[in-house]
Amino acid sequence: MSNEQPDGLMSVISEVFDPLEVTLESTFDDLGATSVSLLRLMVSIQSAFDVDLDVVDMFTVANVGELVELVEERIPASK
């Protein structure tokens, strides 16, 4: 995985929750996430990184850091 992808992923996440500050430790409750914002985030990540995510994934990760790890694990090797 390239060094650019984690920063790009954090940018996608931050864009969805703008103007709030997003860190790896941020929980989606801290960010005021709703089911709509989590679905928007899922679609944005899928589009930007060609990764398969399920709705359940969005509701089972504990924080942004866990989501980043999950996405990093699922990014195709050719990316």
Side-chain angles (χ1 to χ4, degrees):
M1 170 171 206
S2 79
N3 290 333
E4 295 173 19
Q5 286 175 329
D7 289 340
L9 181 54
M10 285 301 290
S11 288
V12 169
I13 297 168
S14 293
E15 187 175 304
V16 170
F17 294 105
D18 186 53
L20 300 173
E21 181 181 345
V22 178
T23 68
L24 292 174
E25 294 79 28
S26 298
T27 67
F28 294 111
D29 284 338
D30 294 341
L31 298 171
T34 64
S35 57
V36 172
S37 63
L38 289 176
L39 290 174
R40 183 173 160 228
L41 177 58
M42 181 184 77
V43 169
S44 295
I45 292 170
Q46 289 173 326
S47 176
F49 296 98
D50 190 30
V51 63
D52 289 326
L53 291 174
D54 190 89
V55 173
V56 174
D57 295 328
M58 304 307 293
F59 292 94
T60 57
V61 293
N63 57 34
V64 171
E66 284 188 16
L67 178 60
V68 168
E69 288 177 14
L70 178 67
V71 171
E72 288 176 345
E73 291 171 2
R74 294 187 183 176
I75 291 177
S78 62
K79 278 282 188 180

